Amino acid sequence: METKGRALRADAERTVRAILEAAERVLSSDPTATMEQIAAAAGVARTTVHRRFVTREALVDALAAWATQRFHEAVEAARPRTSPPLVALHQVTVNVLQVKIGWGFAMSRTAPTDPEVARAHADVLDQCDHLFRRAREEGLLPPDVDLEWARRVYYALIHEAAEEGRGAEEGAVDALAARVVDTLLHGVGTSK
Amino acid sequence: METKGRALRADAERTVRAILEAAERVLSSDPTATMEQIAAAAGVARTTVHRRFVTREALVDALAAWATQRFHEAVEAARPRTSPPLVALHQVTVNVLQVKIGWGFAMSRTAPTDPEVARAHADVLDQCDHLFRRAREEGLLPPDVDLEWARRVYYALIHEAAEEGRGAEEGAVDALAARVVDTLLHGVGTSK
DNA sequence: AATACCTGCAACATCGATGTTGCAAGTATC
DNA sequence: GATACTTGCAACATCGATGTTGCAGGTATT
């Protein structure tokens, strides 16, 4: 999965990581932040950022690619195609929340330029769709459910939960995920 | 409610409207669009935009203020403090959706600078909270409902519905609102 | 220890977006 | 129809962000 021409030296690798993490932090609070600010947050000189990422766009793309990688792994790790729908739903939610809380900005990018990133997103979409279909077969979702709408609601709930989980403790993710799944299936109203 | 020093001439008034509408259109598809692009979309010269709005920030603020005005009116018009909770919920949703479909960008601005705008948002928040409390009293929401979470979910659902309603016909708003309310209360799962 | 790589710093070049001004021609208002 | 407002156009000024280069000092790797 090496996209660069040659392996980086250990310290350079760390620098790249530091820049990506700083970019996430800074850009999530201000999407129009300058390279200068990102460099400062990463604890490196601005020129060093340009050395690693030719343009601003390249940096943002790399950021998106990195986060998408994590995102994809998070979904895969939940084995959404094989484990029981309800279990898979919960596990996927937990895993994705964990990634999204830390890489919210990078994952909010729409219309990725990198085809690799686009493929990953499409694959995740596919797995989500597949999972929902299985949930429908099991009676978890009604036969006439609008799968498109269900997916949108699911994504939106995860987004909100991630937002809320931003300043929360580490262990709260499970509770957040439980609430997301519960709300997705039954809403916030009184159960009949 | 006049914030300007003097009334504008009729044609100038129209120009301002055209600029605001163009800004909404252009900025919603690309938040970093230039004044040039906005001017072009409005069918005026760039200098004219600067004549009406001193800086870019002033334009965006004015846009937010305009949309917030509409938003506030939309909520008020539904009489959420007096009509029955379920009715109010539906009516508020319809009204807000109508505004949000047309002024999505302007309403997505966070942390408004104008105190007037901040007050309007706070007031809407208050009305939403009040409505949810009444809904709880009526048994529509469970006694132990997390009102904060419920509100977040409600906002998110409206956001999604507005997104979907962007390219839809005029009359579909009622159906969208019905789905939002239903999803908010019962989720997308099979009702027990 | 020799080598190749990495970084900070300073200086420079470029570029696009923003904002201003003056004026001539057009248009609303009375 | 006189007046005051509005607009487009062209020209100019400014500014911050981006991207580049050279070099000297430091660090990983062998």
Side-chain angles (χ1 to χ4, degrees):
Chain A
M1 193 61 66
E2 278 298 330
T3 53
K4 300 296 180 118
R6 169 122 102 271
L8 293 174
R9 222 171 69 177
D11 52 353
E13 198 86 49
R14 261 175 301 161
T15 301
V16 170
R17 277 284 296 259
I19 294 174
L20 287 176
E21 284 169 8
E24 166 59 35
R25 252 177 298 141
V26 174
L27 292 176
S28 69
S29 88
D30 175 15
T32 71
T34 70
M35 297 296 242
E36 185 78 52
Q37 295 173 265
I38 296 172
V44 301
R46 187 176 61 90
T47 47
T48 299
V49 178
H50 274 111
R51 235 187 296 266
R52 295 299 159 210
F53 306 95
V54 188
T55 66
R56 183 182 219 283
E57 201 189 353
L59 169 57
V60 175
D61 284 357
L63 189 58
W66 169 267
T68 299
Q69 181 82 3
R70 297 295 168 122
F71 177 44
H72 196 241
E73 288 166 6
V75 174
E76 295 263 284
R79 307 201 172 281
R81 308 194 102 101
T82 52
S83 54
L86 192 54
V87 174
L89 199 54
H90 184 82
Q91 197 56 53
V92 166
T93 307
V94 169
N95 291 0
V96 170
L97 270 181
Q98 232 137 16
V99 175
K100 189 151 187 184
I101 286 175
W103 301 92
F105 169 81
M107 286 183 60
S108 70
R109 295 285 69 187
T110 57
T113 56
D114 187 345
E116 187 73 21
V117 172
R119 269 197 64 257
H121 271 117
D123 188 50
V124 168
L125 194 81
D126 218 57
Q127 301 205 33
C128 180
D129 190 63
H130 188 262
L131 174 58
F132 278 18
R133 283 177 197 280
R134 288 206 301 134
R136 183 176 57 184
E137 280 167 22
E138 276 216 359
L140 214 59
L141 300 179
D144 65 336
V145 65
D146 182 338
L147 288 176
E148 169 78 8
W149 173 248
R151 193 184 50 71
R152 289 185 79 115
V153 172
Y154 182 44
Y155 275 36
L157 289 177
I158 287 183
H159 183 82
E160 291 304 319
E163 201 94 353
E164 212 168 66
R166 193 85 48 195
E169 323 86 61
E170 185 69 25
V173 178
D174 247 306
L176 287 175
R179 188 163 60 173
V180 165
V181 173
D182 183 60
T183 303
L184 174 66
L185 295 178
H186 311 120
V188 300
T190 306
S191 48
K192 280 178 281 208
Chain B
M1 193 61 66
E2 278 298 332
T3 52
K4 298 297 179 123
R6 169 126 98 272
L8 293 174
R9 224 172 68 178
D11 50 354
E13 198 87 48
R14 262 175 298 158
T15 301
V16 170
R17 277 285 297 257
I19 293 174
L20 287 176
E21 284 169 7
E24 165 60 35
R25 253 177 298 138
V26 173
L27 291 177
S28 69
S29 91
D30 174 17
T32 71
T34 71
M35 299 294 247
E36 185 77 53
Q37 295 172 264
I38 296 172
V44 301
R46 186 176 64 89
T47 48
T48 300
V49 178
H50 275 111
R51 235 186 296 267
R52 295 299 160 207
F53 306 94
V54 188
T55 65
R56 182 183 220 282
E57 201 188 354
L59 169 57
V60 174
D61 285 357
L63 189 59
W66 169 267
T68 298
Q69 182 83 3
R70 298 296 167 121
F71 177 45
H72 195 240
E73 289 166 5
V75 173
E76 297 262 286
R79 306 203 174 282
R81 307 193 101 103
T82 52
S83 55
L86 191 55
V87 175
L89 199 54
H90 184 82
Q91 198 55 54
V92 166
T93 306
V94 170
N95 291 0
V96 170
L97 270 180
Q98 232 137 14
V99 175
K100 187 148 189 184
I101 287 174
W103 301 92
F105 170 80
M107 286 182 59
S108 71
R109 296 284 67 186
T110 57
T113 57
D114 188 345
E116 186 73 21
V117 172
R119 268 196 65 259
H121 270 117
D123 188 51
V124 168
L125 195 80
D126 218 56
Q127 300 206 34
C128 180
D129 189 63
H130 188 262
L131 174 56
F132 277 17
R133 282 176 197 280
R134 288 205 301 131
R136 184 176 54 183
E137 280 166 21
E138 275 216 0
L140 214 59
L141 299 180
D144 65 335
V145 65
D146 181 339
L147 288 175
E148 169 77 10
W149 173 249
R151 194 186 48 73
R152 290 185 78 116
V153 172
Y154 182 45
Y155 276 34
L157 289 177
I158 288 183
H159 182 83
E160 291 304 318
E163 202 93 352
E164 210 167 69
R166 194 85 48 195
E169 323 85 63
E170 185 71 23
V173 178
D174 248 306
L176 287 175
R179 189 163 60 172
V180 166
V181 173
D182 183 61
T183 304
L184 174 66
L185 295 179
H186 310 120
V188 300
T190 306
S191 49
K192 279 177 283 206

